[in-house]
Amino acid sequence: MSVTLRKYLFGTALLTVLTVGLGAWLFHAVRPALLLADYIWMPLYFYVVGALLMAGVVRNCGEGNQQAKKLLQSYLLARIIKLFVSVIVVVAFCLAVRTEVTVVVAAFVINYLVYLVYDSWFFSHLGKRRKMENV
Protein backbone atom coordinates (compact mmCIF):
# COMPACT_ATOMS: atom_id res chain seq x y z
CA MET A 1 0.00 0.00 0.00
CA SER A 2 1.41 3.36 -1.00
CA VAL A 3 2.05 6.21 1.41
CA THR A 4 -0.46 8.38 -0.44
CA LEU A 5 -3.21 5.80 -0.05
CA ARG A 6 -2.43 5.36 3.67
CA LYS A 7 -2.57 9.13 4.26
CA TYR A 8 -5.88 9.34 2.41
CA LEU A 9 -7.39 6.41 4.31
CA PHE A 10 -6.29 7.82 7.67
CA GLY A 11 -7.67 11.29 6.91
CA THR A 12 -10.91 9.86 5.56
CA ALA A 13 -11.28 7.59 8.61
CA LEU A 14 -10.97 10.62 10.89
CA LEU A 15 -13.50 12.49 8.78
CA THR A 16 -15.87 9.52 8.93
CA VAL A 17 -15.71 9.35 12.73
CA LEU A 18 -16.31 13.10 12.89
CA THR A 19 -19.26 13.04 10.50
CA VAL A 20 -20.87 10.08 12.28
CA GLY A 21 -20.62 11.80 15.65
CA LEU A 22 -21.59 15.25 14.47
CA GLY A 23 -24.37 13.96 12.21
CA ALA A 24 -25.93 11.83 14.95
CA TRP A 25 -25.74 14.73 17.41
CA LEU A 26 -27.25 17.14 14.87
CA PHE A 27 -30.10 14.77 14.03
CA HIS A 28 -30.82 14.26 17.71
CA ALA A 29 -30.72 18.00 18.46
CA VAL A 30 -32.74 19.22 15.48
CA ARG A 31 -35.24 16.45 14.71
CA PRO A 32 -35.04 13.59 17.23
CA ALA A 33 -38.14 11.94 15.78
CA LEU A 34 -36.47 11.71 12.38
CA LEU A 35 -33.10 10.42 13.55
CA LEU A 36 -32.12 7.92 10.94
CA ALA A 37 -31.34 4.63 12.61
CA ASP A 38 -29.07 3.77 9.72
CA TYR A 39 -27.33 7.14 9.48
CA ILE A 40 -23.96 5.56 10.23
CA TRP A 41 -24.09 3.81 6.86
CA MET A 42 -23.88 7.10 4.96
CA PRO A 43 -20.40 8.16 6.13
CA LEU A 44 -19.23 4.54 5.93
CA TYR A 45 -20.46 4.41 2.33
CA PHE A 46 -18.40 7.48 1.49
CA TYR A 47 -15.37 5.99 3.24
CA VAL A 48 -15.55 2.72 1.30
CA VAL A 49 -16.29 4.33 -2.07
CA GLY A 50 -13.58 6.92 -1.49
CA ALA A 51 -11.04 4.24 -0.57
CA LEU A 52 -11.85 2.22 -3.68
CA LEU A 53 -11.67 5.25 -5.96
CA MET A 54 -8.45 6.49 -4.35
CA ALA A 55 -6.85 3.09 -4.81
CA GLY A 56 -7.78 3.23 -8.49
CA VAL A 57 -6.47 6.77 -8.90
CA VAL A 58 -3.16 6.00 -7.16
CA ARG A 59 -2.72 2.81 -9.18
CA ASN A 60 -3.55 4.60 -12.44
CA CYS A 61 -1.00 7.39 -11.98
CA GLY A 62 2.49 6.46 -13.05
CA GLU A 63 5.85 8.16 -12.99
CA GLY A 64 7.01 10.84 -15.39
CA ASN A 65 6.05 14.25 -16.72
CA GLN A 66 2.47 13.30 -17.50
CA GLN A 67 1.81 12.28 -13.89
CA ALA A 68 0.08 15.51 -12.79
CA LYS A 69 -2.15 15.54 -15.86
CA LYS A 70 -2.99 11.84 -15.40
CA LEU A 71 -3.72 12.43 -11.70
CA LEU A 72 -6.19 15.20 -12.56
CA GLN A 73 -7.92 13.12 -15.21
CA SER A 74 -8.18 10.11 -12.89
CA TYR A 75 -9.50 12.28 -10.07
CA LEU A 76 -12.18 13.87 -12.28
CA LEU A 77 -13.27 10.48 -13.59
CA ALA A 78 -13.48 9.19 -10.00
CA ARG A 79 -15.65 12.20 -9.02
CA ILE A 80 -18.09 11.52 -11.87
CA ILE A 81 -18.30 7.81 -11.01
CA LYS A 82 -18.87 8.63 -7.34
CA LEU A 83 -21.65 11.09 -8.22
CA PHE A 84 -23.56 8.58 -10.37
CA VAL A 85 -23.13 5.74 -7.89
CA SER A 86 -24.26 8.04 -5.06
CA VAL A 87 -27.43 9.06 -6.87
CA ILE A 88 -28.28 5.41 -7.53
CA VAL A 89 -27.64 4.50 -3.89
CA VAL A 90 -29.83 7.33 -2.56
CA VAL A 91 -32.72 6.43 -4.85
CA ALA A 92 -32.43 2.73 -3.97
CA PHE A 93 -32.27 3.51 -0.23
CA CYS A 94 -35.31 5.78 -0.38
CA LEU A 95 -37.32 3.17 -2.28
CA ALA A 96 -36.26 0.32 0.00
CA VAL A 97 -36.61 1.95 3.42
CA ARG A 98 -39.67 4.12 2.77
CA THR A 99 -38.61 6.79 5.23
CA GLU A 100 -38.99 10.56 4.88
CA VAL A 101 -37.15 11.23 1.65
CA THR A 102 -36.19 14.85 2.36
CA VAL A 103 -34.28 13.89 5.51
CA VAL A 104 -32.38 11.11 3.74
CA VAL A 105 -31.55 13.26 0.74
CA ALA A 106 -30.50 16.22 2.89
CA ALA A 107 -28.23 14.04 5.04
CA PHE A 108 -26.74 12.41 1.97
CA VAL A 109 -26.13 15.72 0.18
CA ILE A 110 -24.47 17.21 3.26
CA ASN A 111 -22.22 14.16 3.61
CA TYR A 112 -21.47 14.22 -0.12
CA LEU A 113 -20.41 17.86 0.05
CA VAL A 114 -18.24 17.29 3.14
CA TYR A 115 -16.40 14.42 1.48
CA LEU A 116 -16.18 16.35 -1.80
CA VAL A 117 -14.45 19.24 -0.06
CA TYR A 118 -12.03 16.86 1.69
CA ASP A 119 -11.26 14.92 -1.49
CA SER A 120 -10.72 18.14 -3.46
CA TRP A 121 -8.39 19.48 -0.79
CA PHE A 122 -6.45 16.21 -0.60
CA PHE A 123 -6.03 15.85 -4.36
CA SER A 124 -5.09 19.51 -4.88
CA HIS A 125 -2.31 19.18 -2.29
CA LEU A 126 -1.25 15.85 -3.76
CA GLY A 127 -1.09 17.31 -7.25
CA LYS A 128 0.92 20.31 -6.07
CA ARG A 129 3.39 18.08 -4.22
CA ARG A 130 3.85 15.77 -7.20
CA LYS A 131 4.24 18.69 -9.58
CA MET A 132 6.92 20.23 -7.34
CA GLU A 133 8.74 16.89 -7.13
CA ASN A 134 8.89 16.63 -10.92
CA VAL A 135 10.28 20.16 -11.37
Side-chain angles (χ1 to χ4, degrees):
M1 185 183 305
S2 72
V3 174
T4 303
L5 185 57
R6 275 187 269 159
K7 285 181 181 178
Y8 178 81
L9 291 177
F10 180 73
T12 308
L14 289 176
L15 183 63
T16 301
V17 169
L18 180 67
T19 56
V20 166
L22 188 61
W25 173 79
L26 189 63
F27 266 118
H28 182 69
V30 175
R31 301 283 300 259
L34 295 178
L35 177 63
L36 294 173
D38 298 324
Y39 172 73
I40 191 171
W41 293 109
M42 286 184 199
L44 289 177
Y45 161 79
F46 285 110
Y47 178 77
V48 170
V49 170
L52 292 173
L53 292 177
M54 181 63 177
V57 168
V58 168
R59 187 185 74 234
N60 191 28
C61 295
E63 299 296 326
N65 293 334
Q66 297 295 327
Q67 187 177 19
K69 185 177 181 180
K70 198 171 189 180
L71 177 69
L72 178 63
Q73 291 171 346
S74 297
Y75 168 71
L76 292 174
L77 179 63
R79 296 270 30 116
I80 292 170
I81 291 170
K82 190 173 183 179
L83 176 65
F84 285 126
V85 170
S86 296
V87 168
I88 292 168
V89 167
V90 167
V91 170
F93 181 80
C94 289
L95 291 174
V97 175
R98 303 268 188 212
T99 185
E100 189 172 332
V101 175
T102 56
V103 175
V104 173
V105 171
F108 209 86
V109 166
I110 290 169
N111 276 288
Y112 186 85
L113 292 175
V114 167
Y115 282 89
L116 177 66
V117 167
Y118 174 74
D119 286 349
S120 299
W121 172 83
F122 184 85
F123 278 106
S124 68
H125 285 309
L126 180 65
K128 287 177 186 175
R129 275 186 274 147
R130 291 212 174 158
K131 188 174 181 180
M132 292 178 73
E133 289 173 2
N134 288 337
V135 173

